[in-house]
Amino acid sequence: MKIILLGAPGAGKGTVAKRLTALDGSVQISTGDILRGAVQAGTELGKEAKGFMDRGDLVPDSLIMGIMEGRLQEADCKNGFLLDGFPRTIPQAEALKALLTKLSIKLDMVVDIQVPRDVILDRLCTRRTCENPKCQAIYNVKSMPTKVEGICDKCGSKTIQRADETEAAISHRLDTYNEKTAPLVGFYSNEGIMKTVTGTSSDAVVEAIKSELGK
Ligand code: AMP
């Protein structure tokens, strides 16, 4: 499948993407994960992106398109992809449209996952992420704690609260989402491939997407 997942930070895009990859071998492409990996590895990209990310601001479109142009042409995208956290602005959506046309790739669907703001705030403040850039597993101290406190079940690295998951940064990210990313719903509605799914449980969202795709 070739899908874009829209939805505010904390809407569950990453969890939903991971479940959907199991269906047909499509890969999850999270620009947030790629950028966090670059920050941890101390690459030029990471150095440029870090300040924006820590403040909860978007990284410039040119940096993101530089990542995605290469990523979408990697061999593992042949079976399909789930874009998680990209595109985030109208210029990114326009650049993606041109790139997909150039690569002769047609999107199946764009899904907007809608979750109430209070649920999102609670989720993000209690979220913990594995600090290992190759793992980045996500936990929640309330609903999905690690077996040993502060230690990732999957790889044994430390789990941390992200710098952009303090209450002030989260609030700023949600405002940024409403201003810059929410307009993409109109953009993809005009393209005729937009679906909205409302739900606070990832299971319900995954089932709704599967039924839309006829899987
Ligand atoms: P995420 O994990 O998707 O919430 O992304 C974390 C941070 O990475 C965001 O707050 C932005 O600073 C940056 N980021 C991720 N994806 C993008 C994107 N498509 N455009 C601009 N900035 C992005």
Side-chain angles (χ1 to χ4, degrees):
M1 66 187 91
K2 298 183 178 74
I3 290 184
I4 294 175
L5 294 169
L6 295 180
K13 299 184 295 294
T15 308
V16 167
K18 284 192 179 67
R19 302 244 183 108
L20 291 172
T21 56
L23 290 181
D24 67 356
S26 301
V27 284
Q28 174 193 10
I29 304 179
S30 157
T31 38
D33 283 353
I34 294 171
L35 290 167
R36 278 184 290 279
V39 170
Q40 291 239 356
T43 64
E44 277 311 307
L45 169 67
K47 283 182 200 148
E48 280 193 69
K50 187 174 186 314
F52 295 99
M53 295 173 75
D54 286 350
R55 287 191 299 276
D57 283 330
L58 292 182
V59 168
D61 292 336
S62 55
L63 282 186
I64 297 292
M65 289 318 300
I67 297 173
M68 289 308 294
E69 278 204 46
R71 184 65 189 89
L72 281 171
Q73 295 183 65
E74 285 178 26
D76 61 352
C77 292
K78 287 268 180 307
N79 290 334
F81 48 78
L82 294 134
L83 302 186
D84 158 12
F86 169 84
R88 276 261 231 302
T89 62
I90 295 282
Q92 287 182 20
E94 278 166 349
L96 174 65
K97 187 175 172 182
L99 178 61
L100 293 178
T101 305
K102 189 175 96 184
L103 301 175
S104 304
I105 294 173
K106 191 170 172 295
L107 288 173
D108 296 315
M109 194 162 74
V110 179
V111 182
D112 182 30
I113 306 174
Q114 292 203 341
V115 177
R117 189 180 170 106
D118 56 330
V119 175
I120 282 182
L121 276 175
D122 185 54
R123 257 190 207 169
L124 290 183
C125 290
T126 52
R127 183 150 91 172
R128 298 293 179 270
T129 306
C130 172
E131 69 169 0
N132 172 0
K134 295 212 169 71
C135 178
Q136 300 200 36
I138 289 171
Y139 301 91
N140 186 290
V141 290
K142 283 192 198 162
S143 60
M144 213 201 350
T146 49
K147 291 193 187 95
V148 179
E149 198 185 323
I151 302 294
C152 176
D153 294 350
K154 292 193 179 128
C155 75
S157 302
K158 263 201 309 189
T159 57
I160 50 160
Q161 181 166 29
R162 281 166 38 182
D164 63 353
E165 284 177 355
T166 61
E167 213 165 326
I170 291 166
S171 181
H172 182 56
R173 283 164 70 201
L174 290 175
D175 291 343
T176 303
Y177 183 83
N178 289 334
E179 186 194 334
K180 304 260 174 63
T181 311
L184 295 186
V185 173
F187 180 94
Y188 287 114
S189 297
N190 290 339
E191 305 267 310
I193 49 173
M194 187 72 228
K195 301 280 170 219
T196 299
V197 180
T198 309
T200 49
S201 110
S202 303
D203 286 342
V205 173
V206 168
E207 286 311 312
I209 294 173
K210 275 166 67 177
S211 89
E212 285 287 347
L213 289 168
K215 291 199 183 264

